[in-house]
Structures are given as structure tokens and as C-alpha cells.
Amino acid sequence: MRKRILILSNHFITLYNFRKELILKLVEDGHEVFISMPKDTDNIFFTNMGCKVIDTPVDRRGINPIRDFKLILRYINIMNRIKPDITFSYTIKPNIYGCIASNLTKNKQVSNVTGTGATFLKKNLISNIAGFLYKISFKRSYKVFFQNYGDRDYFVENHMVKNNYAMIPGSGVNLKQYELCNLPPENHMNFLFIGRVMKLKGIDQYLMTAKNIKQVYPNTNFYIAGFIEEDSYKAIINDYVEKGIVNYIGFQKDIKSWIQKCHCTILPSHGGEGVPNALLESAAMGRVCIASKISGSEDVVDEGVTGFLFEPGNALDLINKVEIFIKLDFETKKQMCLEARKKVENEFDRQLIIRAYLSEIQTSI
């Protein structure tokens, strides 16, 4: 049966990278798909697919009562106009303010908690406000998808949800797009950081690791792929680049070629992740991952089998794990790579997520 489906997003690139397969399936199944997201020249991709794109400004950072209230009103207006059979949302503001609008207009919404960032890592005014907003939005919403058990447990323990939730394995990974590939030769050992350059993502620990490891193993290369989110790091990154400690390659729309060039992906995040796509994509291509021991990352990395885990914020522990990896013989590295691919195939195939959403459409009838 043809349905009217509304999708709330805060950015084109995340929708394109992690949801395009689901959206294509919805269109192919004959559903009418509306996408509310900020204006972007790239939005034409979804228009050409057959979706109706609604330009909706979303202030992705911080809490501004006036702008956020306007966003709720926009969502209410969109829902009253479209009258969706079900709404899917991603990231904090579309989740919270979309749910408030859905509750007021009596629409069904499935919110995907893709991670909470720094919001609940420290108890402060922002965390208190966010907790309150989640309570008044999520507790009355139709369904909440959690990507890791840490987030689920936190929301349940703090009474932000009732029994209206389910677990999904992150955003999943397109196994055809991210194919298994051979490890490069070991004449140079290449490491890759994928993510926004900011304190929360553990860039300080990555830089310290690169500096220490290169002193002992000069044939190592450390790459950084991602936007510089916090301006204070611009001079620091430039200094490390000039000294030959790291290579900054900026944000990469297609990260595959860089994963292929590297032997290992490092994600030193301090927390607030869902299930990190950087780890899923790297593991799918047969790369060992070294990650901090946090919710989400722990789901992807099996210690000593597919990669290594270290204590969050502990650069010495990270250095130790990188050294352990370097000292492994080539055949052991190859076996870990194969195990990483196998784990992703079994547990994180994006088709699993697509089926979960299709099931929600069926049960919402």
C-alpha cells in the first residue's frame, strides 16, 4: 500500500552517505517520500530519485530558543500540509523538535538516536535542557531506535523513553560499496583518523600517538580526514603537518580510496557516538580498527580479533595498542582484517536496517 513518508534531516551529506539505500527502496516500493532538510545544491540528488525536498533551515549547533521554536513551527506546518503516514528522523534536533511536532499533530514518528555527542558526557545546563526536551518529546513518540546499548540504558534510566524503543545495528554499511580489499605492502605502515577535528573526537590523543610512534617507527604515516571543527586546532594541525608528523587531507566525500591505502583506522573518540560509521566502513573493507572503549565502538571492535580497544583519553594506552599492531606479522594482520569483514557482514549489513524501517511502515498501517 502506497504511503506518504516524511524524513527529517539536518544535512544532505549524512542522509546521502547513510540513508540513500533506504530512501531508494522506499521510492522503488511506490511510496511518496518527502525530505525536510537545509537547502543545498546537492539536494537535487534526492529530487532526481523521485523525492520531494522541502528546504528547512536547521541550526545544527547549540540551543537558540527563537530559532528552535521556529523549527518546531516549520515541522508542524510541514506535517499539517503533507499529512504523513509515518515520519523518520535522524540526529538531535530533527528527533526532538520533530517528535514535539509529531505529538502535537498526532503523527507517528520513528526517531533514530545516531549518537548524543558531548551532550550527556558532563552534567551541566545544556545536558539538563537536552534531558528535559528528550523527555517531553520521546516519551510520547511512536518509536525510538537506539544504535548502542549505552545510549539505550542512559535514556531508560533517566526516564527519557518508556517502552517505545528498539535496537538497530547502527546505520549499517553498504557491503557492495565497501568491498573487501587487500592490505597494502608494509614498506610504509599507514594509519587513518576519520572524523571532525575536535577535542571530543580524540584528536589530541591521535596527534600524540603520531608524534611518539614516528620517532620509533619512521616508516609510519598518519592521515587525518575530516573538517577542522574547532578553530583552535587549525594552527596545531598546520604545525604537525609542517613537521611531517601527520598528513591532513581534509574532508573526503569518498573515503574509500583512503581506507584502501591504509592498514588501520584509529577512532579515539571520548564518547557520544552511535555506532561509528568510520569503523564500520573500515572493517567492511578489511581494515583493523583501534578505538576507544566507548559505547558503539565496543560493538564493532572485538579485542585482539578484529582490532584493539584502549581507555578513552589515554594516549599512552593508544600508543601501546598501535605498537602491538605494528609488531604483528603480516599474516596475523591479514587474518584480523578478514575477521573484521566477517563481523560486519554478519552484524552490520545495511539491509538489516532497511528491513527494520520497512517493518515499521507495515506495523504502522
Side-chain angles (χ1 to χ4, degrees):
M1 187 182 295
R2 180 180 171 89
K3 293 292 180 183
R4 294 167 72 84
I5 298 170
L6 174 62
I7 295 173
L8 308 180
S9 177
N10 71 353
H11 202 277
F12 165 82
I13 197 66
T14 53
L15 206 64
Y16 173 81
N17 282 344
F18 313 126
R19 330 285 174 209
K20 62 180 179 291
E21 296 89 353
L22 169 63
I23 295 170
L24 178 60
K25 176 63 175 171
L26 296 176
V27 172
E28 288 177 343
D29 284 355
H31 299 299
E32 195 173 4
V33 180
F34 300 83
I35 302 176
S36 165
M37 62 181 168
K39 189 174 183 179
D40 192 303
T41 54
D42 288 329
N43 289 354
I44 191 70
F45 174 85
F46 290 109
T47 303
N48 291 338
M49 188 185 284
C51 304
K52 296 177 177 64
V53 177
I54 304 165
D55 294 336
T56 310
V58 180
D59 182 8
R60 294 167 61 203
R61 297 179 181 87
I63 296 174
N64 182 298
I66 296 174
R67 283 199 288 265
D68 291 350
F69 183 66
K70 285 182 178 178
L71 181 59
I72 295 172
L73 294 180
R74 285 192 181 96
Y75 284 154
I76 291 173
N77 179 265
I78 290 169
M79 291 173 187
N80 283 333
R81 182 158 44 92
I82 292 174
K83 294 180 171 45
D85 293 294
I86 195 165
T87 297
F88 298 144
S89 65
Y90 306 91
T91 69
I92 294 176
K93 290 194 176 182
N95 281 347
I96 290 176
Y97 300 134
C99 271
I100 291 173
S102 290
N103 293 338
L104 291 172
T105 57
K106 301 190 185 321
N107 284 295
K108 293 178 178 178
Q109 179 166 325
V110 178
S111 301
N112 188 326
V113 180
T114 57
T116 56
T119 306
F120 298 119
L121 295 181
K122 291 181 180 178
K123 191 80 171 173
N124 53 31
L125 179 62
I126 296 295
S127 68
N128 289 335
I129 293 173
F132 170 75
L133 290 173
Y134 273 121
K135 283 181 182 179
I136 65 173
S137 57
F138 273 19
K139 287 181 82 169
R140 292 177 54 208
S141 72
Y142 175 70
K143 179 66 72 69
V144 179
F145 279 155
F146 289 106
Q147 297 193 1
N148 66 63
Y149 291 100
D151 284 345
R152 183 204 63 180
D153 293 347
Y154 185 87
F155 275 67
V156 171
E157 289 166 7
N158 287 277
H159 311 291
M160 296 183 203
V161 290
K162 291 185 178 178
N163 60 348
N164 56 335
Y165 61 84
M167 298 296 301
I168 57 171
S171 299
V173 62
N174 186 325
L175 295 172
K176 293 180 180 177
Q177 182 181 355
Y178 292 90
E179 295 179 310
L180 180 67
C181 59
N182 294 328
L183 273 177
E186 286 198 298
N187 53 324
H188 283 87
M189 187 71 65
N190 301 322
F191 296 88
L192 179 63
F193 171 101
I194 307 170
R196 290 171 293 160
V197 177
M198 56 191 297
K199 187 179 183 68
L200 179 65
K201 295 295 183 181
I203 190 63
D204 294 309
Q205 288 73 47
Y206 186 78
L207 293 173
M208 188 180 296
T209 298
K211 183 178 180 180
N212 281 268
I213 291 293
K214 280 190 75 70
Q215 289 175 351
V216 183
Y217 305 93
N219 67 328
T220 54
N221 296 305
F222 288 83
Y223 295 93
I224 298 173
F227 294 117
I228 297 180
E229 185 84 3
E230 294 172 350
D231 289 341
S232 59
Y233 283 105
K234 286 181 179 177
I236 297 171
I237 296 297
N238 286 337
D239 181 54
Y240 272 71
V241 170
E242 288 174 4
K243 291 177 178 176
I245 299 172
V246 299
N247 297 283
Y248 177 63
I249 57 176
F251 172 75
Q252 298 292 312
K253 214 167 190 178
D254 183 5
I255 197 64
K256 282 172 57 180
S257 61
W258 288 98
I259 295 174
Q260 191 169 358
K261 290 175 186 176
C262 293
H263 299 80
C264 174
T265 293
I266 297 176
L267 185 67
S269 175
H270 294 184
E273 306 286 343
V275 174
N277 294 293
L279 298 182
L280 291 179
E281 291 164 359
S282 298
M285 293 184 69
R287 293 298 177 263
V288 171
C289 295
I290 301 176
S292 46
K293 199 181 296 183
I294 59 171
S295 294
S297 294
E298 290 179 300
D299 297 330
V300 183
V301 180
D302 290 339
E303 177 68 27
V305 179
T306 68
F308 300 98
L309 296 165
F310 69 95
E311 290 302 318
N314 189 332
L316 293 179
D317 196 16
L318 173 55
I319 291 167
N320 178 51
K321 294 300 168 68
V322 170
E323 245 190 320
I324 290 173
F325 173 73
I326 290 173
K327 290 177 179 179
L328 293 175
D329 62 74
F330 191 65
E331 287 304 314
T332 302
K333 290 188 180 82
K334 279 174 59 179
Q335 186 57 41
M336 292 183 74
C337 292
L338 293 175
E339 291 295 333
R341 170 71 184 193
K342 189 188 303 181
K343 181 177 177 67
V344 171
E345 287 177 345
N346 292 336
E347 300 178 26
F348 296 100
D349 186 345
R350 187 159 290 167
Q351 293 304 313
L352 297 172
I353 286 80
I354 292 174
R355 285 197 286 270
Y357 275 94
L358 296 180
S359 175
E360 290 303 327
I361 294 173
Q362 291 299 317
T363 56
S364 69
I365 295 174

